[in-house]
Amino acid sequence: MNYGSYWQARCLVEGLATMGVTAVLLEYRSKRLDRAEWRCALSPLLPMRSPHNDYGLYKKKMHKFFGAIAQLPLSCPFPLDDPAKAEQFRLVIVGSDEVWNLKHPWYGGCAVFFGEGLIADHLVSYAATFGNFASQARLRGLWGDRLRRFSRISVRDLNSARLIREALAVEPELVLDPCLQFPQPLLAARGGDNARHVVIYGHGFPKWFQNAIRQWAARRACRLVSIGYRNDWADQQWIDAGPNEFACFMASAKAVVTNFFHGCVFSLVYEKPFACVISDYRINKLRDLAEIVGAQRYVVSETSTFSQLDTILDHPLDPAIARRIFVLRANSATYLQHVVQ
């Protein structure tokens, strides 16, 4: 129930279609996970409770997601805990996102993400990640045995590549997130540029970062707009934006400030200058993405100076980043061509 999750699923399935592959998204059902997802969607700032007036906005946002997801190519629904009831497929691709994060609060350890019970001729992964999970010891038993059933494995971050390499003695492919690999649906949502607004995407930003960004924006008379979540330090809140509205707004921004993985990804897709601050939960994803595409300078810390913000937010993205993404895109395409042939 978030923008990155929706768009990476859509970009992958539509990207496969451009390769001549008819693909659907596996539509699992679970009342337990629905309750967890909806509870988080209605009150995403927990343990801090959302203001009462925001519940209606978060609910409206949820219904926009329901409508958008209903338009995607979905399989026949099946129980998450009984994947054998899913349709039979020639190929099942697991990923992208934190499908293998055993520390995830409600998806951690779901056997279906390790291919358990699925009926398929071939099982592979694309841009899978372990998220903030980093223990190779736990992958040497049951979970490692399940991963060995995959005929090909690709991941999107260096931590996941290390875990697979050390625990399974397998060298995984390093590939791009689907939004970077197949950006065409996102680029089609591009609106007109607006040099006055700066997107805030995420929540739980540290105070020093809030103050630094506000001072930077004030010096340039830029309006800070928080999308999808409440950030009281923003000039404007747009909590109920749907996934298509989100993409258009990101595309028209002057710059992006974020602590989310896909905040960085969308900035890269739309070639927007951005400033990212790393949280403990997202440290692996954010740090590794920056290293892989050569965007380390766009990750800021409390020791960063105002001049660093001026440098990264006032100028276009380093062109070397686009060149690096071009190479990675070719490598990812080669992997997928081998997988689907």
Side-chain angles (χ1 to χ4, degrees):
M1 198 65 66
N2 65 68
Y3 304 113
S5 180
Y6 167 84
W7 277 108
Q8 67 188 346
R10 177 174 168 182
C11 286
L12 181 56
V13 76
E14 293 189 14
L16 288 170
T18 67
M19 299 173 62
V21 177
T22 301
V24 295
L25 296 162
L26 288 174
E27 176 67 350
Y28 57 80
R29 297 283 173 84
S30 167
K31 291 182 179 179
R32 175 181 65 87
L33 292 183
D34 281 348
R35 286 193 295 268
E37 284 276 8
W38 298 345
R39 184 166 55 249
C40 182
L42 288 170
S43 194
L45 309 183
L46 289 173
M48 184 176 70
R49 295 186 64 84
S50 298
H52 180 74
N53 291 341
D54 286 353
Y55 282 108
L57 297 173
Y58 284 124
K59 185 176 180 180
K60 186 176 179 181
K61 172 186 169 185
M62 285 176 59
H63 282 280
K64 288 180 179 179
F65 268 93
F66 293 152
I69 292 168
Q71 300 301 312
L72 297 175
L74 304 174
S75 74
C76 294
F78 64 93
L80 178 70
D81 297 326
D82 192 2
K85 292 184 178 178
E87 301 170 58
Q88 183 172 351
F89 293 96
R90 180 182 67 84
L91 172 68
V92 167
I93 301 175
V94 175
S96 177
D97 219 341
E98 297 186 30
V99 286
W100 294 337
N101 187 356
L102 297 178
K103 291 176 63 177
H104 194 282
W106 55 82
Y107 284 103
C110 283
V112 69
F113 295 130
F114 293 81
E116 195 72 15
L118 293 172
I119 303 173
D121 297 338
H122 300 283
L123 181 66
V124 303
S125 73
Y126 182 78
T129 177
F130 290 94
N132 66 335
F133 176 80
S135 172
Q136 59 175 285
R138 287 188 64 190
L139 293 182
R140 290 186 174 138
L142 172 65
W143 303 110
D145 291 341
R146 287 173 169 172
L147 287 172
R148 287 187 181 90
R149 296 175 52 218
F150 284 70
S151 57
R152 294 186 72 111
I153 292 178
S154 72
V155 296
R156 73 180 188 192
D157 59 84
L158 301 174
N159 173 65
S160 297
R162 178 186 60 81
L163 284 172
I164 294 293
R165 185 185 307 116
E166 294 178 357
L168 276 67
V170 170
E171 188 63 41
E173 297 284 345
L174 189 64
V175 297
L176 288 174
D177 178 90
C179 297
L180 283 170
Q181 180 63 22
F182 298 113
Q184 293 83 354
L186 287 166
L187 295 176
R190 186 189 292 274
D193 284 346
N194 181 340
R196 308 309 301 172
H197 80 259
V198 174
V199 171
I200 300 172
Y201 178 46
H203 56 78
F205 294 93
K207 275 289 184 185
W208 63 262
F209 185 74
Q210 299 176 26
N211 294 335
I213 293 298
R214 283 203 60 82
Q215 291 179 50
W216 173 86
R219 294 197 301 271
R220 288 150 185 79
C222 290
R223 188 168 184 79
L224 297 172
V225 183
S226 178
I227 191 164
Y229 304 95
R230 172 170 291 281
N231 282 285
D232 287 327
W233 54 282
D235 299 307
Q236 180 181 342
Q237 313 294 328
W238 190 9
I239 291 174
D240 62 342
N244 288 291
E245 292 171 317
F246 172 85
C248 290
F249 198 62
M250 292 285 280
S252 65
K254 171 182 173 64
V256 175
V257 294
T258 187
N259 59 359
F260 278 13
F261 176 82
H262 278 99
C264 299
V265 167
F266 277 77
S267 302
L268 295 170
V269 167
Y270 292 126
E271 298 183 341
K272 300 293 179 179
F274 68 98
C276 170
V277 61
I278 290 180
S279 64
D280 290 340
Y281 181 80
R282 296 178 175 86
I283 185 170
N284 291 330
K285 297 192 294 185
L286 294 172
R287 177 197 59 203
D288 290 358
L289 174 65
E291 182 174 344
I292 288 167
V293 303
Q296 295 96 325
R297 65 188 295 199
Y298 296 91
V299 177
V300 300
S301 67
E302 193 167 4
T303 60
S304 302
T305 63
F306 284 114
S307 62
Q308 181 181 353
L309 282 180
D310 294 347
T311 299
I312 62 178
L313 293 178
D314 288 339
H315 300 91
L317 280 184
D318 183 345
I321 295 175
R323 293 194 293 269
R324 178 60 180 156
I325 290 174
F326 179 83
V327 173
L328 290 166
R329 193 171 283 152
N331 294 342
S332 302
T334 298
Y335 171 83
L336 280 172
Q337 286 163 2
H338 288 155
V339 162
V340 301
Q341 66 183 7

